[in-house]
Amino acid sequence: MRVVILGSGRGSNAEAILAAQQAGRLGRARVVGIFSDQPTAGILALGPRFGVPAAFVDPAPFKTKLEGEGEARFIAAVKACAPDLVVLAGFMRVLKPGLLGAFAGKIINLHPSLLPSFPGLDAIGQAFRRGVKLTGCTVHAVTLEVDGGPILDQAPVRIEPGDTLESLTAKVHQAEHALLPAVIARLSKR
Ligand code: GAR
């Protein structure tokens, strides 16, 4: 199963996927490309480290969504990798019908809350401020509804009385780093 990863940030989840692959824990999945909408994103440094092609793709003209010329550039870059699965690992843009249609049924997203609770931005902060005792992370299929597609798996994280936003963030990331590679490995065995 050929996997392309899209991300905008430091890439700790992409790193967890690549580490799982190196350790033989990614089933039949193999990462064949990494693309970012941010030219200096940490995720791009994983390419040379793990021997995977990694590149910035210009997302212009929009700031928060991927549509028009930027979307066309992403479709072309991802298509060239002939992916069976496209993984959004911290890709902070709203996808539109062009890209969703080009890879229909093949796109999954990681979100740092137990959806449908706390969709959207700053999900960990939202959960922390709301005072819930249980949060976590979700991997779901991507549809036009932001953070709304069918849930594939979730991992819970307890918010303890002594937790700070920082400690909770670390715990959610730790849960993500286990969940996302496990879901990819499972999908690769279907
Ligand atoms: C992760 O916590 C992921 O759940 C979140 O961005 C972070 C990326 O971290 N995604 C979203 O909030 C999407 N709505 P990373 O770059 O270290 O993998």
Side-chain angles (χ1 to χ4, degrees):
M1 187 177 73
R2 297 172 64 83
V3 177
V4 164
I5 304 175
L6 305 186
S8 307
R10 64 193 179 121
S12 70
N13 284 285
E15 184 172 357
I17 294 167
L18 289 159
Q21 178 179 318
Q22 273 192 344
R25 288 186 286 105
L26 206 61
R28 296 168 174 276
R30 177 162 63 96
V31 179
V32 295
I34 301 171
F35 298 105
S36 181
D37 60 335
Q38 301 295 330
T40 59
I43 193 170
L44 292 176
L46 296 170
R49 255 181 73 197
F50 286 90
V52 175
F56 163 68
V57 178
D58 186 352
F62 299 103
K63 284 237 178 325
T64 58
K65 62 180 177 180
L66 195 58
E67 206 169 19
E69 293 162 24
E71 181 186 55
R73 283 188 286 268
F74 266 87
I75 291 172
V78 175
K79 256 198 185 146
C81 295
D84 302 299
L85 185 71
V86 178
V87 177
L88 308 183
F91 190 65
M92 304 306 278
R93 274 176 189 270
V94 176
L95 300 190
K96 294 294 175 183
L99 193 126
L100 287 176
F103 308 103
K106 293 181 176 175
I107 311 179
I108 64 172
N109 179 47
L110 172 67
H111 185 78
S113 75
L114 294 177
L115 290 171
S117 292
F118 310 119
L121 294 175
D122 189 24
I124 302 175
Q126 288 187 57
F128 185 73
R129 287 188 293 276
R130 185 64 183 81
V132 294
K133 302 301 175 201
L134 195 67
T135 186
C137 52
T138 300
V139 179
H140 66 92
V142 176
T143 62
L144 270 177
E145 187 190 347
V146 175
D147 298 330
I151 291 171
L152 300 175
D153 207 353
Q154 297 183 304
V157 170
R158 270 206 84 77
I159 303 181
E160 304 291 350
D163 267 323
T164 61
L165 179 58
E166 289 66 36
S167 67
L168 177 61
T169 298
K171 289 200 291 191
V172 171
H173 284 158
Q174 196 179 1
E176 290 183 325
H177 297 164
L179 181 70
L180 185 55
V183 170
I184 295 170
R186 205 183 314 141
L187 290 174
S188 80
K189 293 171 188 160
R190 282 188 312 193

